[in-house]
């Protein structure tokens, strides 16, 4: 599926600047522009990155190289000294990421209410209060 396709996620990011729930809507999945980016996208294993992933602690390494129409090359890399998926995130970063996904499905108020409940989950005697907040209109 698209959400598990590295080339798709890279192409969507190049098109929109980031990947979020909208990246997988019908407009994106059928976008001729996104498909044209996918057509020229290749995925190659970097064995050093694979080795880093298989170690403990895990390092999530990735390098994306983009060749522009004018021949210029732009490289972006994550992991190691470039920041890693497993690096500790601040509460503010976690909240911002959660809200960026939840807002689209739940709406701002409901997403914020759910986030507040999730931050307090360790204090709950009964997590049955969560399912009603998770409900959203199709």
């Amino acid at each position: 599926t698209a959400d598990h396709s590295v080339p798709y996620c890279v192409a969507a990011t190049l098109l929109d600047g980031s990947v979020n729930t909208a990246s997988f809507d019908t407009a994106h999945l059928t976008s001729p522009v996104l498909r044209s980016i996918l057509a020229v996208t290749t995925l190659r294993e970097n064995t050093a990155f694979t080795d880093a992933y298989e170690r403990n602690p895990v390092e999530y390494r990735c390098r994306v190289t983009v060749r522009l129409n004018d021949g210029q090359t732009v490289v972006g890399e994550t992991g190691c000294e470039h920041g890693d998926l497993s690096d500790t995130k601040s509460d503010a970063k976690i909240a911002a990421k959660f809200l960026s996904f939840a807002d689209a499905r739940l709406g701002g108020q409901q997403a914020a209410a759910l986030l507040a409940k999730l931050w307090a989950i360790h204090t709950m005697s009964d997590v049955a209060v969560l399912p009603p907040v998770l409900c959203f209109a199709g």
Side-chain angles (χ1 to χ4, degrees):
T1 60
D3 64 329
H4 288 83
S5 166
V6 172
Y8 181 90
C9 290
V10 168
T13 301
L14 290 172
L15 184 63
D16 294 335
S18 67
V19 174
N20 56 50
T21 54
S23 304
F24 306 100
D25 64 14
T26 302
H28 280 78
L29 293 172
T30 60
S31 167
V33 175
L34 197 144
R35 289 186 175 275
S36 70
I37 297 170
L38 269 171
V40 295
T41 301
T42 57
L43 179 65
R44 294 191 187 111
E45 178 186 15
N46 179 316
T47 55
F49 289 6
T50 301
D51 291 345
Y53 177 78
E54 292 173 346
R55 284 194 299 266
N56 193 1
V58 169
E59 285 182 24
Y60 298 91
R61 308 278 314 265
C62 181
R63 181 180 304 127
V64 175
T65 304
V66 178
R67 286 185 187 83
L68 304 175
N69 289 335
D70 66 4
Q72 181 183 359
T73 300
V74 180
V75 179
E77 190 168 327
T78 64
C80 207
E81 69 276 3
H82 302 286
D84 193 87
L85 181 64
S86 61
D87 287 348
T88 302
K89 309 293 185 287
S90 70
D91 287 356
K93 280 192 174 190
I94 293 168
K97 184 168 185 175
F98 175 85
L99 292 172
S100 76
F101 286 97
D103 270 357
R105 298 299 269 167
L106 299 173
Q109 267 187 324
Q110 194 170 350
L114 176 57
L115 180 60
K117 288 185 185 328
L118 291 172
W119 281 127
I121 198 167
H122 63 286
T123 67
M124 292 179 186
S125 59
D126 184 0
V127 294
V129 298
L130 292 175
V133 185
L134 292 168
C135 295
F136 56 90

